[in-house]
Amino acid sequence: MIRSAFASFVITAVLLVLVVGIVLVPIALSLPDPLAVLDTFVFGPFRNPRHTGNIVEMATPAMMCGLAVAVMFRAGMFNLGVEGAFFLGGLATVATVLLVPLPAFAMAPVGILVGAVVGSSVCAVPGYLRARYEASELVSSLMLNFAALFIGLFVVNYFLRDPAAGAMVSFRIPAEAKLPKLIAGTRIHLGTLVALAACGLGAVYLFMSRAGFEARIVGSNPSFAAHLGLPIRSILLRSQVIGGLIAAGAGGIEMLGLYQRFSWQSLPGNGWTGVVVAILARDNPILLIPAALFLSYLQVGGDLIARNFDVPSEAVGLIQALVLVVVTAQAIMRNPRLIRLVTGKKPAAGQAQDTKAVEGSVA
Amino acid sequence: MTDRPLIAFAGISKTYGNGTLALDDVSFAIRPGVIHAVCGENGAGKSTLMKILFGLEQPTSGSILLDGEAVAIPSPRIAAEKGIGMVHQHFSLVPSLSVSENIVLGQEPRRGAFLDRVAARRRVEELSRRYNLAVDPDATVRTLSVAAQQKVEILKALSRDVRVLILDEPTAVLTPPETDELFDRLRDMRAAGLTILFISHKLREVRALASHVTVLRAGKLAGDAPLAAIDDEAIARLVMGQAAGPALKRGGRVSGTPRVVVSGVHLKARDANDRLEGIDLTVHAGEILGVAGVDGSGQRGLVSLLTGRAQPTTGAITYEGKPTAGLGTAALRRLGLAHLPADRFQDGGSKRMTLVENAIAGAHRLAAFSTGPFLKRRAMETRTEEMIVHYKVRCPGPNAPLSALSGGNAQKLIAAREFATEPHFMIADQPTRGIDVAAAAFLHERLAELAAKGGAVLLITADLDELLTLSDRIVILYAGRIVARLENEPGLTPERLGPYMLGLESAA
């Protein structure tokens, strides 16, 4: 199974390279030294350890958000609360280390744990509404992201704001709370190892545990789950709480790993990246790792050419947009759940027609 | 009638991308103006061969001769141009459009840019008159019965000036009287000069309708003969590749204490076909109680009550004397319920999961398959391999997805899972619908064996032969009520059940 997932992963990656080429080559040709542009985009990220480090730093939250999405997608839940959970998780982590007096060694773990629990509400509430009232988790989680954003900004402004700083940012995160750096000359931090371990544990959960097995049964065929008598509602809720915890924990790790202050003024977008990564990795936790690294590599290459050449930053945005289209188009082609979501058709519709038809024959 | 064949298959082979050999050097001829039956088990290659003729699949080697000339049929459109029409087992109608719109779809008469409804209607009326297939051209397809929808499908195929009409298992969805009517119409069409290819695995129907039979087995041509020259037993032998087992004998079973008692149950459901109005029935230990009825007479409501997916509006169900009010599927399964669902891919399994996962699901929390929170994959696989051997599931391996299996093999795997719990009460809902003779016989044996060992079996089936073969007693549902209760005595025939099933008579 992992082999076939890997095959489609490779196909998608090749398509992405083609797409990037289609955008990048004409832009490069319009510049005096087209080869240098391509060279910078393709090889630039590896010339300087700092840039290579950027790839890993960027891939860290992408892996964890991707894992959160994959865990929920596997249970059939299109919960997009990862974005809000990531944001709120980061904020609650910073708030904890700033406001709660904690011994130095406990700051990071307690902060991230509190962040994970608080932030996971953005996934858990839509999950509960879905399990209890059949409210579309897609819609409610999408909406709740913005509620989380503005509640967060309110908290930053009234409780955490450093009046000495020129902008709406929090006080400095104490140095003792920061995650240790792993490699000198880069900003790669302990969170990367946590993310890698999380992906491994995610694979164990999904493919080797009873709970993950049940979640996959519900996700791949809810009628079958009902036939077996599985507790569908609690399985759905559980999957979304786990997803929320992972995404929100990732937000806390990001804050303590890379930031001096809480400085997000809008949703940071890591959750959306997680959706792309999960789709690219076919919801396979192990494949999340190369998928996140690959997307981050594209991002770093794009940033480098925008910085060093007269390339409009929109071109980099265009490349990213096309990447999104390619990845999601693949998903639409292969994923009946997404198609159903897009067409708004329920799986039982066909059956209902049959019975109506029979009604006619009896009458 | 000439002796020159209209269609000849010459050495057709088909290998799928995954290496499956679906057809292996099949050659036979179809004479014009006859009804030609093609028989075989599921997975024998019938459907593949018909798809090749209709342009949906391309042969790997070999050719099709039409009027003696080799032709290529790259698409259904080309097939239609050459006068070949097909009625699929699963209809391809648009439920929200009218009958006439459906029939002209793809070759609409136009007035300017718009559909010429009057011309479309006229064309449908003319077709319907010519072939004596009465349909209302203005009715919305969604509101039609299955039999009427099938007529629309047939008219749609005929509207393309066909010479050859392929019908894939057309009777699977019909009641006996509807089947008889369809057969009369098909005979009319033959009389009008049409050649009909009739795919079926019901020997009785083949005998009643066709004049020539071709049997496929495991992708090879197993036999090809005029029906006058071959007896049923010989056909069955060709289909199964061995002497058919002795007919299942009923009797010898002693029914014991009441195991499941349904008393005065009403069910209000949004769908009128699921409603129940005062059902009383008892399933005893050691018996098979057959439930007959036209699809949509309340069977689904009954099954959802007995499996705990719905609760009765009024009335009560007891299970070994204990009331089941408020118990869900999980609780009932713990009490010994097992269920072979009617729609095996919708409810019975998950197509995208592996055979191991499908076979062990439900039992995965047992100590045999898990330690703490973790699954024992090795034990699951070993158990599945045993099931595959014991239930003769033809499959690429235990880790193939369920979608790789034919309907019959998937059903055998699902049955293996459901029988594995040694159930006290088995609900078998259309257990052999659309599956081949050998697999059906195998499942019949399992059901009979379970009853003989003291299990209670509720058999819900539209296949009256199956009903009469297996049941000890029979109840007939019509519009949510039991209209007849019959002992299954040797003289009972499908014809006697028909009037009850259609609500024309009542004996309860």
Side-chain angles (χ1 to χ4, degrees):
Chain A
M1 199 174 99
I2 189 155
R3 206 181 310 147
S4 69
F6 187 69
S8 68
F9 174 78
V10 170
I11 292 167
T12 314
V14 169
L15 272 175
L16 284 176
V17 170
L18 285 177
V19 162
V20 171
I22 286 166
V23 182
L24 201 59
V25 169
I27 291 174
L29 286 175
S30 71
L31 291 165
D33 190 358
L35 279 181
V37 175
L38 290 181
D39 178 65
T40 304
F41 183 81
V42 178
F43 300 110
F46 301 117
R47 291 233 170 83
N48 182 329
R50 195 160 53 86
H51 296 153
T52 314
N54 286 342
I55 297 178
V56 178
E57 288 150 27
M58 257 184 220
T60 299
M63 277 176 217
M64 288 194 71
C65 289
L67 180 63
V69 173
V71 164
M72 297 191 288
F73 274 20
R74 284 276 182 180
M77 289 290 97
F78 285 90
N79 190 318
L80 299 181
V82 272
E83 179 66 39
F86 185 83
F87 174 87
L88 208 58
L91 176 68
T93 300
V94 173
T96 307
V97 298
L98 287 180
L99 302 179
V100 182
L102 285 167
F105 70 89
M107 274 185 154
V110 172
I112 291 169
L113 197 69
V114 172
V117 171
V118 173
S120 69
S121 61
V122 187
C123 289
V125 169
Y128 176 76
L129 294 178
R130 163 64 191 241
R132 182 76 184 76
Y133 300 106
E134 307 240 320
S136 161
E137 76 286 352
L138 178 87
V139 175
S140 53
S141 64
L142 210 49
M143 296 295 160
L144 203 58
N145 281 336
F146 292 94
L149 169 65
F150 290 109
I151 290 172
L153 293 181
F154 173 83
V155 170
V156 172
N157 198 21
Y158 287 95
F159 299 102
L160 304 176
R161 185 167 181 170
D162 184 352
M168 194 177 81
V169 297
S170 75
F171 289 100
R172 275 186 182 282
I173 298 170
E176 314 84 82
K178 296 258 181 70
L179 296 178
K181 299 272 182 281
L182 295 183
I183 300 174
T186 70
R187 300 194 299 158
I188 298 175
H189 53 84
L190 187 65
T192 304
L193 295 184
V194 175
L196 291 172
C199 288
L201 286 175
V204 170
Y205 163 74
L206 279 177
F207 299 109
M208 291 161 79
S209 82
R210 299 191 306 199
F213 180 43
E214 287 171 359
R216 286 188 299 120
I217 293 174
V218 173
S220 74
N221 186 352
S223 303
F224 179 40
H227 167 78
L228 296 171
L230 295 183
I232 296 175
R233 287 175 174 191
S234 63
I235 291 170
L236 288 184
L237 187 58
R238 187 173 66 207
S239 302
Q240 292 172 93
V241 169
I242 294 173
L245 287 171
I246 297 170
I253 289 171
E254 181 78 350
M255 267 296 148
L256 300 189
L258 295 179
Y259 285 77
Q260 307 301 324
R261 302 162 182 273
F262 183 88
S263 54
W264 290 333
Q265 310 292 324
S266 59
L267 293 173
N270 297 67
W272 308 137
T273 309
V275 175
V276 179
V277 169
I279 293 173
L280 187 60
R282 305 295 181 248
D283 301 340
N284 185 311
I286 299 301
L287 292 181
L288 287 171
I289 298 166
L293 287 169
F294 179 69
L295 275 184
S296 305
Y297 159 69
L298 288 185
Q299 173 79 46
V300 171
D303 287 349
L304 280 179
I305 56 167
R307 232 180 292 153
N308 295 321
F309 297 92
D310 187 18
V311 176
S313 61
E314 283 83 359
V316 177
L318 184 60
I319 290 173
Q320 282 163 4
L322 281 172
V323 166
L324 270 168
V325 169
V326 169
V327 171
T328 49
Q330 284 257 325
I332 287 167
M333 276 184 280
R334 109 202 126 90
N335 196 329
R337 284 178 295 161
L338 263 181
I339 294 170
R340 236 181 277 137
L341 195 82
V342 173
T343 56
K345 236 193 189 158
K346 289 228 171 100
Q351 245 183 345
Q353 276 154 20
D354 283 355
T355 47
K356 268 187 202 124
V358 173
E359 187 184 359
S361 87
V362 173
Chain B
M1 202 187 277
T2 73
D3 265 7
R4 198 175 69 143
L6 175 63
I7 296 170
F9 295 101
I12 300 271
S13 294
K14 170 78 187 176
T15 312
Y16 281 109
N18 60 8
T20 315
L21 183 64
L23 289 171
D24 184 7
D25 193 23
V26 171
S27 305
F28 68 96
I30 298 156
R31 289 188 306 146
V34 299
I35 298 183
H36 189 120
V38 179
C39 285
E41 293 187 22
N42 272 28
K46 299 169 302 200
S47 297
T48 310
L49 188 64
M50 292 308 125
K51 282 181 187 160
I52 288 173
L53 179 58
F54 192 55
L56 288 165
E57 303 261 13
Q58 298 307 310
T60 314
S61 63
S63 55
I64 296 172
L65 306 172
L66 195 61
D67 287 327
E69 279 173 46
V71 289
I73 307 175
S75 72
R77 187 172 280 269
I78 305 293
E81 277 172 20
K82 298 194 186 302
I84 300 166
M86 181 158 178
V87 176
H88 296 273
Q89 201 175 350
H90 302 284
F91 303 150
S92 49
L93 300 172
V94 184
S96 57
L97 294 184
S98 76
V99 168
S100 59
E101 285 165 336
N102 263 291
I103 290 174
V104 300
L105 197 67
Q107 42 165 14
E108 303 87 350
R110 291 188 194 166
R111 211 168 36 199
F114 298 98
L115 171 67
D116 185 344
R117 281 172 202 284
V118 180
R121 199 170 188 287
R122 208 165 41 231
R123 195 193 287 178
V124 171
E125 276 171 346
E126 186 200 294
L127 270 172
S128 146
R129 219 173 13 250
R130 174 157 24 125
Y131 291 106
N132 196 13
L133 284 165
V135 289
D136 172 4
D138 299 323
T140 307
V141 163
R142 182 188 291 128
T143 64
L144 296 179
S145 70
V146 175
Q149 288 188 17
Q150 188 177 55
K151 282 186 197 167
V152 178
E153 273 282 343
I154 295 173
L155 283 175
K156 188 175 166 186
L158 293 172
S159 72
R160 268 78 169 168
D161 288 323
V162 300
R163 291 189 290 164
V164 184
L165 183 66
I166 308 167
L167 293 153
D168 192 1
E169 306 258 353
T171 61
V173 293
L174 302 180
T175 60
E178 288 168 342
T179 302
D180 289 345
E181 198 204 330
L182 174 72
F183 284 6
D184 285 344
R185 294 293 83 77
L186 293 179
R187 288 189 195 100
D188 292 350
M189 289 176 206
R190 181 192 51 196
L194 217 62
T195 307
I196 294 171
L197 260 172
F198 177 74
I199 320 290
S200 177
H201 41 228
K202 291 188 181 154
L203 289 186
R204 206 149 53 102
E205 295 178 353
V206 169
R207 182 65 67 189
L209 195 63
S211 58
H212 197 99
V213 62
T214 299
V215 179
L216 296 179
R217 185 176 70 238
K220 292 197 178 71
L221 187 74
D224 181 49
L227 270 161
I230 188 165
D231 61 17
D232 285 355
E233 233 170 274
I235 299 175
R237 261 201 307 278
L238 290 174
V239 169
M240 300 214 242
Q242 63 206 26
L248 207 60
K249 280 203 196 70
R250 254 183 318 116
R253 285 201 292 264
V254 191
S255 62
T257 51
R259 181 150 289 161
V260 177
V261 180
V262 177
S263 40
V265 159
H266 289 251
L267 176 68
K268 286 205 176 79
R270 214 182 314 157
D271 193 329
N273 296 315
D274 296 348
R275 276 177 208 153
L276 297 176
E277 298 183 5
I279 298 285
D280 296 288
L281 60 81
T282 306
V283 194
H284 300 86
E287 78 166 347
I288 299 181
L289 176 64
V291 177
V294 178
D295 258 353
S297 300
Q299 294 95 330
R300 240 188 4 221
L302 185 63
V303 169
S304 62
L305 287 179
L306 291 173
T307 56
R309 291 177 82 164
Q311 297 292 331
T313 313
T314 59
I317 300 172
T318 61
Y319 192 102
E320 289 175 332
K322 291 185 284 286
T324 64
L327 297 187
T329 308
L332 291 175
R333 276 188 176 270
R334 275 193 294 275
L335 290 175
L337 167 78
H339 175 205
L340 278 175
D343 192 333
R344 61 189 70 107
F345 285 117
Q346 175 67 30
D347 300 319
S350 175
K351 274 182 155 184
R352 288 185 295 151
M353 296 184 106
T354 64
L355 300 190
V356 174
E357 291 171 330
N358 273 288
I360 304 300
H364 60 279
R365 283 191 173 263
L366 299 180
F369 303 118
S370 61
T371 21
F374 298 108
L375 297 169
K376 293 187 195 164
R377 292 217 78 107
R378 194 63 246 147
M380 288 167 66
E381 217 162 281
T382 311
R383 181 77 195 91
T384 308
E385 274 159 5
E386 285 167 19
M387 286 180 176
I388 288 170
V389 173
H390 186 199
Y391 278 77
K392 304 181 183 79
V393 181
R394 248 183 286 161
C395 64
N399 287 309
L402 186 66
S403 58
L405 265 56
S406 71
N409 284 305
Q411 182 74 340
K412 282 194 277 188
L413 187 82
I414 292 164
R417 180 188 69 220
E418 298 294 327
F419 279 106
T421 58
E422 292 178 1
H424 295 191
F425 178 42
M426 167 68 84
I427 301 171
D429 194 359
Q430 316 293 352
T432 63
R433 179 188 271 171
I435 73 177
D436 59 74
V437 185
F442 182 82
L443 288 176
H444 288 166
E445 280 169 32
R446 295 285 79 73
L447 287 170
E449 190 181 82
L450 179 67
K453 281 196 292 190
V457 178
L458 187 75
L459 170 70
I460 298 169
T461 179
D463 179 344
L464 298 183
D465 289 334
E466 173 173 270
L467 184 83
L468 293 171
T469 310
L470 282 177
S471 311
D472 298 299
R473 293 184 301 128
I474 292 169
V475 298
I476 300 175
L477 280 179
Y478 175 74
R481 289 193 178 84
I482 291 177
V483 291
R485 293 168 196 276
L486 306 164
E487 287 293 327
N488 188 7
E489 287 151 352
L492 200 59
T493 59
E495 287 70 28
R496 261 197 63 206
L497 303 178
Y500 296 117
M501 290 171 64
L502 293 173
L504 305 173
E505 279 179 40
S506 174

